[in-house]
Amino acid sequence: MADHEEQKENTMLTDEIEQPEADNDDDQDEEMNSDDNDNSDSESSASDSEDNEGIQNELKVQDLVQKIEENPYMYDSHVELIKILRQMGELSRLRDAREKMSELFPLTEELWLDWLRDEIPLATEETERSKLEQLFERAVKDYLSVQIWLEYVQYSIGGMGLKGGVDRIRAVAERALTAAGLHVTRGAYLWEAYREFENAILAGLLPQPGQVASQEQEKAFKAQHQRVNTLFKRQLSIPLFDMKETYCEYKDWLQEDLDNYTEQTYKKSCVSLDKIKPLEQSLEASETPRLTEYKTYIDFELKEGNPTRIQCIFERAIQENSLDSDLWLQYTKYLDEKLKVKSVALPVYERSVRNCPWCGKLWHKYMLAMERHQEPHDKIKELIDKALLSGFSSGADYLLVWSTYIDYLRRRIKWDEDHEEALELFRLTLVKAVEHLAGYEDGDPFGTLRQYWANIEAKFCKNVVKARELWSEIMTEGHGNEATMWLEFYKMERMYGNNKHCRRVLTRALNSVTDWPESIVEAYTNFEREEGSIEEYDMAVSKCEAQMARIMERRQQAAEKEAAILEQKKQNKSDKKFQKKGQKGADQQRTNQFQGKQRVGGEQRSEVQPKSADQQKIKVEDSENDGQKKAEKRKLEETQEQTDDFKVPPPPGYKGLKSGSQGPPPGYKGPKTSSAGPPPGFKETGTTGQHVGEGDFATDPAAQNRTAFVSNLDFSIGEEKLGEIFAQCGELTDIRIAKNFKGKSKGFAYIEFKDEFGAMNAIKLDRKLVENRPMYVSKYEEKGKNKAQFRYSTNMERNKLFVSGLPFTCTKDALHVMFGAHGQLKDVRIVTYKSGAPKGLAYVEYMDEQDAVQAVVKTDGMLIGDHTISVSISNPPSRKTPLSEREDPVYTPTLGSGKKETEMRGKARTQLMLLPRSVKKAPVSGGPVKTSTNQNSANKTESNGENTNSQSTSRMSNADFRNMLLKK
């Protein structure tokens, strides 16, 4: 009956639509006839514009295809190609482009939705629907997306009429709820879609009006009703937004009060939601990628301990921070330690290395997970091949991957069974790994793989000869002077060799080690005490004493030489300081003398007060005192007035004679005495150390070897924080933070370990971020022993690129992705200030020069956000250009630029005329007065030490000056 009414209504609507169409047929015919000409013109112009647009798009497509063929890892080119092909409607080419991009990159939610929505209308047959379902399966594996799961559920509902359609829909819906149903803000959409589907089935089971339901129908209806009821209860047990509306809808649907269990579950969910809401609000108020907010959310869920919710929040965070390797490492660590479910862990690992292929630790953990879950050997071998082709930035990552694979191969060897084939594979892999790592400077600097190999050969294969060969190779590669390497060699011989070879190794070590010979001496003597005779023991002690005597002599000579150099530098610095201060005092005195003089009517006058006896005894060395300056000026003027004859004024800086003796030169401060104090800023130093009172180890060379120097520390960092940081390196014996007179940190410290190994491990923490500042860690060096060397090369490096113009938000991982697409990277370094803030510069080093050249061509001028980067081959400008090579050889540096390098030496700072004005007047006729020209020539001769006139001139006597002034 309902179908009949619906058909009748559709018929009426059709009649209403067709009637006005018939009435308007005539009008339409007239309009069509009148507009034929206009339409033809507009259609022709439109077709021309469409043709031009099509040609331009085709050219763009060809250009993008060529770029992708040259470099398939250009993400933006793939996206642009897909966009243009979608506009052109090229379905087959569009599918190919999407497939190629999907093979190389995980696709975003937007790209997947566009692809799926383009394919859904075309999937009409069952085979096509099957292919589209496979496409949906690929889409939901890349990232967590509620929208993609919702599309998948709705598409599955469209196949409800097919065989097994209902079961397939329910399976997809259940998977959607498991994956994204706990999404606090958007998960309710999936619950509602699933519930509407089940409600529609429930409505279909109702009997027709006037009919009585059979027993089977009633049974089916009750089962379906229970299914919907269960969905409501499940949803109310999860903290989701809009829970109150769901609760009200459930009560209306049930048409009765809820049971106590459901009420309590709903209240608990509301309490959980209240705890979560601030975290969700923080996410909503922040901008993508919101990593800090997600980490706070993750920490909260980890404390709560709900595995499904923890997995959900990790997936949400990764959707927006897919290139953060630390986030992937945290996620996989949780899966390995807590869930331990193969079907969950391995897919997450696969996605992690697909998003962050440059992270060697992810590949390392992925291989361990595959072995842990007993994956076949072929899959693990395929994984190691992919890892070695992923382009790590450092040799240490390759070493980690090779070590993990070799450990796996060693565990596959069953020593109590037939193991020849497995052992041969193990050895061949080690040979291949050693050859591969030899191509990297930091690949395996300490020969750890060969040490591992030697132990296996000696312990399990009983092949000590092969083990010795491996150790000999290691020692001949620059480790002959390192005590730690010799001790490891001796340890292997002690465990698996014989006494003869142990003595040979210790003897070679004693004659070769320079960094820590005391450890070799101790090992040698202990060995002879345990294994040797009295003669062998005496011989070992004799050798050790003789060698240590030579070493101590060399150390003493080096210390004396160093002390002499330091003393010479201190003396030079002190002399320069005194000279500079004396010159400054003399210049200041000259200025003060002439500023106090007044000239009236061409004659020099001054009112002088009589001087006391105490004022006449003022010492020359107190010349910088203001009272003494005034006394000297008074003394000079008094002397001029008391003299009957006029005398030439004294030269600048002259202070007069003292008690008939010749006065000291300007700036002289008297002889040094034993009681004279040190100059300002002078700090007493020891014989060898550079920071006495701040962690010096002047008299204990062994303490220097086990001490690390740490600098660029935040002033708020204390000894407790440093202890936490360096505790992982070894046992600490002392921590010294350099402090000023107020007791505040100077930003550097000394970390002393129990042995040298701790200091060596500490150096590995160099440039680690501590309180957002790079911490510099280096071996302790005495001041002046080794001049500070720039860490990186200052010459042209054709395999290294200099990148400028980067956004300050650009990360090292992003540069790995960008430049790793053009070749195998060796290192990526972002240049920062000492505060840790980026400068917008970076260096990208390739393994091969050709890759670097290719990268310059491809990336120079690339747009990153709003920044256009500049990429070039690294060729730093030379530093400290010599004076002779400058454009202006008389150039004087500005304030703060160092010492002046001019050729203007010895001139006074002022070029003022120092003669009285009356001297410059024309002389009275008949007086033997020199002209001003001749007088100036005389002045020039005195000041420059050169005679600029061709004629010799004589000085005027006092009588001549008196006659001139009195106009006689």
Side-chain angles (χ1 to χ4, degrees):
M1 182 174 180
D3 296 340
H4 178 71
E5 291 178 355
E6 184 179 356
Q7 184 177 3
K8 182 177 180 181
E9 184 179 355
N10 292 338
T11 305
M12 293 172 64
L13 290 173
T14 305
D15 294 341
E16 290 177 1
I17 293 171
E18 291 178 352
Q19 185 173 357
E21 289 180 354
D23 295 338
N24 293 331
D25 283 344
D26 296 337
D27 296 337
Q28 290 177 357
D29 292 339
E30 292 178 1
E31 292 177 1
M32 290 175 62
N33 292 331
S34 62
D35 293 340
D36 281 342
N37 295 330
D38 295 339
N39 288 339
S40 61
D41 295 339
S42 62
E43 288 175 0
S44 62
S45 61
S47 63
D48 292 341
S49 62
E50 290 177 358
D51 292 341
N52 293 333
E53 184 178 358
I55 294 172
Q56 293 177 359
N57 287 336
E58 185 62 34
L59 293 175
K60 289 180 181 179
V61 168
Q62 294 178 1
D63 182 52
L64 291 171
V65 170
Q66 184 177 359
K67 288 181 179 179
I68 292 172
E69 288 178 354
E70 294 174 356
N71 182 8
Y73 291 95
M74 296 182 68
Y75 186 89
D76 293 336
S77 297
H78 283 281
V79 176
E80 185 66 21
L81 177 61
I82 290 172
K83 181 180 178 181
I84 295 176
L85 290 175
R86 193 163 185 257
Q87 292 176 354
M88 296 172 63
E90 295 283 347
L91 182 60
S92 60
R93 297 168 68 185
L94 179 60
R95 284 174 175 168
D96 294 339
R98 283 169 167 165
E99 288 290 348
K100 288 181 180 179
M101 185 177 183
S102 179
E103 291 175 1
L104 298 173
F105 304 100
L107 304 186
T108 62
E109 180 183 70
E110 293 77 11
L111 290 173
W112 274 119
L113 287 174
D114 289 341
W115 190 354
L116 294 168
R117 288 167 181 169
D118 289 344
E119 296 289 348
I120 287 174
L122 305 177
T124 56
E125 299 180 358
E126 188 172 353
T127 55
E128 294 174 347
R129 289 186 63 87
S130 177
K131 292 181 180 179
L132 189 55
E133 287 176 359
Q134 294 177 5
L135 193 63
F136 268 111
E137 291 293 334
R138 291 168 55 189
V140 297
K141 287 180 180 179
D142 276 351
Y143 301 112
L144 175 65
S145 172
V146 175
Q147 189 62 35
I148 292 177
W149 276 112
L150 194 59
E151 288 282 345
Y152 195 4
V153 172
Q154 291 174 350
Y155 175 74
S156 300
I157 293 174
M160 182 177 175
L162 300 176
K163 183 179 179 180
V166 176
D167 293 337
R168 189 180 296 111
I169 294 168
R170 286 173 178 162
V172 172
E174 288 293 339
R175 291 176 56 205
L177 294 180
T178 302
L182 275 67
H183 197 296
V184 178
T185 57
R186 304 182 66 186
Y189 300 144
L190 293 172
W191 289 98
E192 291 172 2
Y194 191 10
R195 208 170 53 245
E196 287 177 3
F197 164 71
E198 296 293 354
N199 270 324
I201 295 177
L202 181 63
L205 295 176
L206 290 173
Q208 297 293 333
Q211 293 182 358
V212 178
S214 63
Q215 187 176 0
E216 293 180 357
Q217 288 177 337
E218 288 181 0
K219 186 178 179 181
F221 178 81
K222 288 180 181 180
Q224 185 63 23
H225 185 275
Q226 183 62 29
R227 185 176 283 112
V228 177
N229 188 27
T230 303
L231 279 176
F232 269 115
K233 290 182 178 181
R234 288 171 61 189
Q235 184 176 355
L236 291 177
S237 66
I238 299 172
L240 301 172
F241 278 13
D242 302 328
M243 285 189 66
K244 189 174 181 180
E245 289 78 359
T246 305
Y247 176 77
C248 295
E249 182 182 352
Y250 182 34
K251 291 184 69 175
D252 294 340
W253 179 83
L254 195 59
Q255 296 181 354
E256 61 183 30
D257 294 336
L258 277 63
D259 58 273
N260 293 334
Y261 178 78
T262 304
E263 287 283 358
Q264 292 177 1
T265 304
Y266 169 69
K267 290 179 181 179
K268 289 182 180 178
S269 300
C270 290
V271 172
S272 300
L273 182 62
D274 291 338
K275 295 180 181 178
I276 294 172
K277 271 186 178 179
L279 299 171
E280 291 290 346
Q281 291 170 356
S282 176
L283 284 174
E284 186 177 359
S286 305
E287 296 182 357
T288 306
R290 305 180 287 189
L291 180 59
T292 303
E293 291 75 14
Y294 273 121
K295 286 185 176 180
T296 304
Y297 205 156
I298 289 170
D299 292 339
F300 169 79
E301 293 292 358
L302 287 173
K303 291 179 181 179
E304 292 294 317
N306 189 329
T308 53
R309 295 198 56 78
I310 293 172
Q311 189 178 356
C312 182
I313 191 59
F314 267 120
E315 290 291 348
R316 290 177 61 186
I318 282 172
Q319 184 184 9
E320 297 182 12
N321 301 274
S322 59
L323 300 181
D324 192 306
S325 57
D326 292 335
L327 186 60
W328 283 107
L329 288 170
Q330 185 182 7
Y331 187 17
T332 54
K333 180 180 179 182
Y334 170 77
L335 296 177
D336 288 338
E337 295 179 355
K338 300 297 182 181
L339 287 186
K340 301 180 181 180
V341 179
K342 175 181 177 180
S343 59
V344 176
L346 293 185
V348 171
Y349 272 115
E350 183 179 358
R351 291 162 53 210
S352 69
V353 296
R354 199 167 177 218
N355 282 274
C356 302
W358 59 84
C359 181
K361 198 167 184 179
L362 281 173
W363 291 99
H364 157 73
K365 295 187 66 179
Y366 191 6
M367 280 186 279
L368 291 178
M370 292 188 75
E371 183 182 3
R372 193 178 296 118
H373 295 293
Q374 299 180 355
E375 289 293 294
H377 173 71
D378 293 340
K379 285 189 176 182
I380 298 179
K381 179 63 171 65
E382 182 180 355
L383 182 65
I384 183 66
D385 293 338
K386 288 182 180 178
L388 295 174
L389 295 175
S390 59
F392 297 130
S393 60
S394 66
D397 290 323
Y398 286 106
L399 176 60
L400 178 62
V401 171
W402 276 117
S403 300
T404 308
Y405 183 54
I406 289 169
D407 291 345
Y408 158 73
L409 293 178
R410 197 271 306 165
R411 287 189 286 267
R412 290 182 70 242
I413 301 175
K414 306 299 180 183
W415 299 104
D416 53 349
E417 300 177 3
D418 185 13
H419 57 268
E420 290 301 325
E421 184 177 352
L423 179 60
E424 186 64 21
L425 177 61
F426 173 78
R427 287 169 172 167
L428 292 175
T429 305
L430 274 166
V431 172
K432 186 177 180 181
V434 170
E435 292 176 353
H436 181 255
L437 293 172
Y440 299 89
E441 184 177 354
D442 58 341
D444 191 5
F446 300 103
T448 53
L449 283 183
R450 279 174 290 178
Q451 292 184 38
Y452 178 76
W453 187 2
N455 288 335
I456 297 297
E457 291 286 353
K459 181 178 180 180
F460 294 101
C461 303
K462 311 301 180 184
N463 190 355
V464 183
V465 175
K466 179 63 177 179
R468 292 184 186 122
E469 291 178 0
L470 292 170
W471 267 109
S472 297
E473 291 178 6
I474 296 172
M475 302 311 296
T476 55
E477 292 178 357
H479 301 290
N481 61 342
E482 299 175 10
T484 55
M485 301 297 287
W486 281 108
L487 290 175
E488 288 294 325
F489 191 2
Y490 163 69
K491 180 181 177 181
M492 189 275 296
E493 282 287 358
R494 192 85 164 97
M495 294 177 65
Y496 310 112
N498 51 46
N499 291 345
K500 175 183 176 182
H501 286 90
C502 284
R503 287 191 182 91
R504 184 176 297 176
V505 170
L506 289 171
T507 303
R508 291 174 59 192
L510 183 65
N511 296 327
S512 303
V513 169
T514 58
D515 59 345
W516 192 19
E518 292 84 356
S519 61
I520 303 299
V521 170
E522 182 180 2
Y524 195 3
T525 54
N526 287 339
F527 170 76
E528 294 297 352
R529 285 172 55 199
E530 297 173 4
E531 302 290 342
S533 62
I534 184 63
E535 291 81 7
E536 292 169 335
Y537 175 77
D538 291 339
M539 184 179 294
V541 171
S542 176
K543 289 181 180 179
C544 292
E545 289 178 350
Q547 182 65 14
M548 288 305 300
R550 288 191 291 269
I551 292 174
M552 295 305 296
E553 183 181 358
R554 289 196 293 267
R555 288 178 178 176
Q556 183 65 26
Q557 292 175 356
E560 292 175 356
K561 184 178 179 181
E562 187 66 27
I565 294 174
L566 288 175
E567 186 65 27
Q568 183 64 33
K569 288 184 177 180
K570 282 195 315 182
Q571 186 64 35
N572 294 340
K573 187 176 181 180
S574 179
D575 293 344
K576 290 180 181 178
K577 187 182 293 184
F578 283 126
Q579 291 175 6
K580 186 176 181 180
K581 193 169 184 180
Q583 182 65 27
K584 183 178 180 181
D587 294 340
Q588 185 67 30
Q589 182 182 358
R590 294 191 200 104
T591 304
N592 292 338
Q593 284 179 354
F594 290 101
Q595 285 180 349
K597 293 182 180 180
Q598 297 180 354
R599 297 179 176 86
V600 181
E603 294 184 359
Q604 191 173 18
R605 301 177 183 179
S606 61
E607 298 179 1
V608 183
Q609 298 293 333
K611 298 175 65 176
S612 64
D614 293 337
Q615 291 173 329
Q616 294 177 357
K617 295 181 180 180
I618 296 176
K619 294 182 179 181
V620 177
E621 55 265 31
D622 298 329
S623 61
E624 293 184 4
N625 185 276
D626 291 340
Q628 191 268 349
K629 293 177 183 177
K630 295 178 181 178
E632 289 174 352
K633 287 189 285 186
R634 294 193 191 104
K635 183 177 180 180
L636 179 63
E637 292 168 338
E638 184 180 12
T639 304
Q640 291 176 356
E641 288 184 356
Q642 291 177 355
T643 304
D644 294 335
D645 297 333
F646 180 82
K647 293 184 179 180
V648 179
Y654 181 74
K655 300 180 180 178
L657 299 177
K658 183 177 181 181
S659 301
S661 62
Q662 185 176 0
Y668 181 76
K669 298 185 178 180
K672 295 182 180 179
T673 62
S674 59
S675 60
F682 179 81
K683 294 183 180 179
E684 184 178 358
T685 60
T687 58
T688 59
Q690 65 171 341
H691 301 288
V692 173
E694 297 176 354
D696 186 54
F697 318 96
T699 60
D700 187 5
Q704 299 179 10
N705 293 333
R706 61 175 183 264
T707 302
F709 177 65
V710 185
S711 60
N712 198 42
L713 295 172
D714 190 272
F715 295 142
S716 63
I717 294 178
E719 295 179 355
E720 183 178 355
K721 179 67 174 178
L722 290 176
E724 294 175 0
I725 295 173
F726 290 95
Q728 59 180 317
C729 302
E731 184 177 350
L732 300 174
T733 59
D734 196 7
I735 298 176
R736 300 178 179 88
I737 296 180
K739 298 181 180 179
N740 58 17
F741 68 96
K742 293 183 179 180
K744 295 183 178 180
S745 171
K746 289 185 177 182
F748 62 92
Y750 301 84
I751 313 297
E752 184 176 350
F753 294 88
K754 184 177 180 180
D755 52 38
E756 190 177 7
F757 300 106
M760 295 171 62
N761 293 330
I763 295 175
K764 297 178 182 178
L765 300 180
D766 184 32
R767 300 182 182 270
K768 177 182 179 181
L769 287 180
V770 178
E771 302 295 340
N772 295 323
R773 290 174 65 89
M775 174 181 68
Y776 302 147
V777 186
S778 60
K779 185 179 179 181
Y780 175 83
E781 295 287 352
E782 299 176 9
K783 184 177 180 181
K785 183 175 181 180
N786 290 322
K787 185 177 179 182
Q789 299 292 331
F790 190 61
R791 182 175 178 182
Y792 304 99
S793 174
T794 57
N795 300 322
M796 175 181 286
E797 297 177 89
R798 299 187 181 276
N799 65 323
K800 184 184 291 186
L801 305 183
F802 173 68
V803 186
S804 60
L806 291 169
F808 293 147
T809 57
C810 186
T811 62
K812 186 175 180 180
D813 292 341
L815 292 177
H816 268 289
V817 175
M818 185 187 312
F819 290 93
H822 306 290
Q824 188 176 6
L825 295 179
K826 184 176 181 181
D827 187 28
V828 174
R829 176 169 61 93
I830 294 181
V831 184
T832 64
Y833 295 97
K834 286 189 175 182
S835 63
K839 294 184 177 181
L841 309 174
Y843 288 91
V844 180
E845 187 174 3
Y846 284 90
M847 297 298 299
D848 184 58
E849 295 181 3
Q850 296 299 326
D851 294 339
V853 174
Q854 185 73 8
V856 171
V857 176
K858 298 297 182 182
T859 59
D860 187 28
M862 179 184 292
L863 190 65
I864 302 179
D866 297 330
H867 295 253
T868 302
I869 65 171
S870 175
V871 184
S872 60
I873 299 296
S874 175
N875 186 17
S878 58
R879 298 186 173 192
K880 297 184 179 180
T881 305
L883 177 65
S884 60
E885 296 180 11
R886 296 180 182 169
E887 295 180 2
D888 184 5
V890 196
Y891 168 77
T892 301
T894 58
L895 181 63
S897 62
K899 299 180 181 179
K900 296 182 179 181
E901 296 180 349
T902 65
E903 297 176 356
M904 308 294 289
R905 302 286 184 181
K907 286 193 176 182
R909 295 195 179 188
T910 176
Q911 299 296 326
L912 297 175
M913 174 60 69
L914 304 181
L915 293 179
R917 276 179 270 180
S918 59
V919 177
K920 302 169 80 173
K921 292 185 177 181
V924 180
S925 61
V929 181
K930 298 292 180 182
T931 64
S932 61
T933 304
N934 292 337
Q935 184 63 39
N936 291 339
S937 300
N939 290 338
K940 291 181 180 179
T941 304
E942 294 176 5
S943 62
N944 296 336
E946 299 176 359
N947 188 3
T948 56
N949 277 355
S950 60
Q951 301 177 358
S952 63
T953 60
S954 61
R955 295 174 178 265
M956 295 176 64
S957 65
N958 291 339
D960 293 335
F961 276 102
R962 187 188 315 108
N963 293 334
M964 180 186 70
L965 294 175
L966 298 177
K967 299 182 180 179
K968 289 182 179 182

